[in-house]
Amino acid sequence: MSYALNHTNRKLTLEPKITVNAKIIVVGASNVGISFLETLVFCSHLKFNNLTLISTHGLPGKKLLDTEQRKFLASDHCFNDKDYALMSLCSWVNVVVGRMTGIDRAAKHVVLSTGEIVLYDHLILCTGQQYQVPCPTGADISQHLTNREVPNSSQRRYTGKVPCNHFTLNEEEDCFKALTWIRSNSITTEDGGIASVLFC
């Protein structure tokens, strides 16, 4: 298991730090969100006592997938599992596992999908890039339309029932669910490989 080794010395112990008690909430465990928290946690002259991360699956770096299986997931390689272990953000940051569904700016709180309310003084939104389920255009395929002739709007969102064999891979948890479904719904060869998978 990876681990974090934190070193301190007399000079660092005696150096005065300014304590910041403001409630700082970061929504989303994207690369920007993790980098922002890392900057605050390791600031040499400030000590932040009230950092909170709201994320659907908590802190990243749980090693749910092997290196080969992780190729399912698009990555810009900003952080790897060793980086997450060395930062040890779980030692400095309160983690709220959930999805934010609303913001009340007047009352300065966010609302989670569970109905829970989390107060804040400063709110940082770092949800990152998220892939969405493609929305059918409703075009008649017998007309042989080109892409320019098909009506397209960035505001359209698919709200219907998502087929059980359609997966949107944004995080390791999504890849893990997809691999579990593939293994339970496909023919495997004697060496444990997958013979064929049909996606609609």
Side-chain angles (χ1 to χ4, degrees):
M1 293 291 291
S2 298
Y3 63 92
L5 178 63
N6 296 306
H7 169 73
T8 188
N9 55 37
R10 185 177 180 185
K11 179 182 177 182
L12 292 175
T13 305
L14 298 176
E15 181 181 358
K17 284 194 173 188
I18 299 172
T19 301
V20 180
N21 291 321
K23 300 182 186 78
I24 301 175
I25 291 182
V26 177
V27 179
S30 64
N31 290 331
V32 174
I34 297 298
S35 179
F36 177 79
L37 288 171
E38 179 188 21
T39 303
L40 295 187
V41 165
F42 294 106
C43 186
S44 61
H45 61 285
L46 297 175
K47 180 182 179 184
F48 294 89
N49 286 334
N50 212 332
L51 297 175
T52 302
L53 171 69
I54 299 176
S55 175
T56 309
H57 302 292
L59 284 169
K62 298 174 187 172
K63 287 189 176 180
L64 293 178
L65 305 174
D66 297 332
T67 305
E68 284 298 315
Q69 297 169 337
R70 200 169 292 174
K71 290 181 180 177
F72 270 113
L73 193 61
S75 174
D76 53 8
H77 306 288
C78 285
F79 298 104
N80 56 33
D81 292 332
K82 185 177 180 181
D83 295 329
Y84 291 127
L86 292 175
M87 280 189 283
S88 187
L89 287 180
C90 58
S91 303
W92 317 99
V93 179
N94 301 314
V95 180
V96 177
V97 178
R99 187 182 301 273
M100 185 189 73
T101 58
I103 303 174
D104 189 332
R105 295 184 179 181
K108 283 199 156 188
H109 69 250
V110 296
V111 182
L112 303 182
S113 56
T114 58
E116 184 182 353
I117 290 175
V118 183
L119 300 172
Y120 70 86
D121 293 317
H122 303 283
L123 179 63
I124 315 297
L125 301 177
C126 305
T127 54
Q129 181 181 6
Q130 298 175 350
Y131 298 105
Q132 305 292 331
V133 176
C135 185
T137 60
D140 186 1
I141 59 173
S142 64
Q143 298 291 324
H144 302 291
L145 300 175
T146 63
N147 287 342
R148 291 183 182 176
E149 297 168 328
V150 174
N152 187 16
S153 173
S154 60
Q155 303 300 321
R156 294 179 63 176
R157 293 288 181 265
Y158 181 71
T159 57
K161 183 179 178 181
V162 179
C164 65
N165 62 344
H166 181 279
F167 299 96
T168 307
L169 305 180
N170 285 312
E171 300 173 314
E172 281 193 34
E173 284 79 3
D174 301 330
C175 296
F176 187 73
K177 289 177 184 176
L179 281 169
T180 303
W181 186 92
I182 290 172
R183 287 176 178 147
S184 61
N185 293 281
S186 61
I187 301 171
T188 56
T189 59
E190 292 180 1
D191 60 353
I194 297 172
S196 62
V197 180
L198 177 61
F199 288 94
C200 300

